[in-house]
Amino acid sequence: MGLRQVKADGQSRSAMLDSIGRTLTTATNGIKALADHLTTDEVFARSLVDAIELIGDSEGRVVVSGVGKSGHIGRKIAATMASTGTSAYFVHPTEASHGDLGMVTSQDVLILLSWSGETAELGNMLTYAKRFKVPVVSICANRDSILARNSDVALVLPKVPEACPHGLAPTTSAMLQLAVGDALAIALLERRGFSAEDFKTFHPGGKLGAQLRLVHELAHVAEQVPLLPVGRPMSEAVIEMSSKGFGVVGIVDEGGALIGVITDGDLRRHMAGDLLLQPVEDVMSRNPRVIKGDVLASAAMEFMQEHKVTVLFLVDDAGLPAGILHIHDLLRAGVA
């Protein structure tokens, strides 16, 4: 029985892999069909631009709604817009019909999702929109549907095969709705000039929040920075390196600008009987790699990995040292 089970499992694995392959191929073809639709259907392309301008020029919020899988996709679209600078939230059409429509004003924009465009639950929202002149953007696949015909802007998607072998479970269709929603959100982000700094405001927590922190927020400053002026003996450099604990000391010129660093490697390369008596400028490595304080922590991590360094001095526009950053500071903050 164990042998028969293994054989059955082997056949099942093959069938499952075939199924997965068909689903991925169908999904890929669906996205390609959507991309082709953008370039071949002028009405669709114009409607996307109209939707972006309508939402971007509105003084209110974006209210997204849908039922079933379209509702789940709608929640994701609203969340993406909200996190990228477009004030948005999701309302279930049933809840909307029982009081939540009171949150929607004529300054808002409704985005209603329904693949067929005939979802009955959206009827009350359409009626409300007409009555109070709330602009409607619809995402559906039927230009002649009730939803499309009653929208200010109808984003009519190409009809594509579902990955479901019965053509029933929303799979490819849901993915196309999501892709269009993401396209709207990113176009609005770029239209608004939404920066990484703005993005950070909405993502303060987790790994993403850590990556979006700035270098100066994680760096050690003031008395913690190991520095010595030119002309000092290496004996002081060794003491400074040891006491500050970074394994490095920065060397500054008469004007206070950082002109070099001394690392453990420099000590090994200049090891001799009179090392401690030598002036620091004879041992230091010149033109050290440095970073500005307004750089993202994720960029600092990438820079360190690329150049195989573990410590960076922060400098200002004049080249004056403003802090020091160790790779461990980035790891503790959850950047990696």
Side-chain angles (χ1 to χ4, degrees), residues 170-191:
T171 46
T172 316
S173 59
M175 184 180 63
L176 262 60
Q177 289 178 319
L178 180 58
V180 168
D182 284 344
L184 291 175
I186 299 306
L188 287 164
L189 175 155
E190 293 178 347
R191 183 180 189 267

Side-chain angles (χ1 to χ4, degrees), residues 48-244:
L48 279 169
V49 174
D50 290 344
I52 293 164
E53 291 180 343
L54 176 63
I55 296 170
D57 293 340
S58 69
E59 297 181 0
R61 296 174 294 180
V62 175
V63 183
V64 188
S65 191
V67 177
K69 302 301 184 293
S70 292
H72 294 304
I73 296 300
R75 290 181 187 276
K76 167 59 169 62
I77 292 173
T80 300
M81 286 186 171
S83 70
T84 52
T86 299
S87 182
Y89 63 95
F90 178 85
V91 172
H92 193 281
T94 301
E95 299 298 331
S97 297
H98 289 273
D100 282 359
L101 278 173
M103 296 187 292
V104 183
T105 73
S106 59
Q107 293 181 318
D108 298 331
V109 176
L110 280 172
I111 296 182
L112 304 182
L113 289 82
S114 168
W115 186 250
S116 68
E118 302 290 348
T119 303
E121 291 88 343
L122 295 177
N124 288 336
M125 299 193 76
L126 283 175
T127 300
Y128 181 90
K130 290 295 182 183
R131 179 181 177 186
F132 293 99
K133 295 181 173 54
V134 183
V136 174
V137 175
S138 62
I139 302 177
C140 66
N142 186 354
R143 193 177 302 280
D144 297 322
S145 64
I146 293 175
L147 179 57
R149 287 188 284 106
N150 287 276
S151 299
D152 295 88
V153 180
L155 304 179
V156 182
L157 308 182
K159 294 182 178 179
V160 293
E162 301 286 9
C164 169
H166 309 297
L168 298 175
T171 46
T172 316
S173 59
M175 184 180 63
L176 262 60
Q177 289 178 319
L178 180 58
V180 168
D182 284 344
L184 291 175
I186 299 306
L188 287 164
L189 175 155
E190 293 178 347
R191 183 180 189 267
R192 186 176 290 106
F194 193 82
S195 67
E197 284 304 300
D198 296 320
F199 200 79
K200 175 190 172 187
T201 302
F202 299 107
H203 300 79
K207 182 175 180 179
L208 183 57
Q211 292 176 331
L212 291 171
R213 295 179 69 180
L214 299 181
V215 166
H216 73 80
E217 298 178 58
L218 302 174
H220 304 268
V221 297
E223 297 300 321
Q224 295 177 304
V225 184
L227 294 172
L228 277 180
V230 292
R232 306 309 301 171
M234 279 298 300
S235 57
E236 293 184 17
V238 172
I239 294 173
E240 185 75 358
M241 291 172 65
S242 301
S243 63
K244 298 297 172 64

Side-chain angles (χ1 to χ4, degrees), residues 249-271:
V249 59
I251 308 303
V252 296
D253 62 15
E254 292 81 358
L258 185 73
I259 59 172
V261 296
I262 298 174
T263 66
D264 293 333
D266 294 314
L267 294 180
R268 289 192 296 271
R269 283 188 291 272
H270 291 81
M271 189 64 67

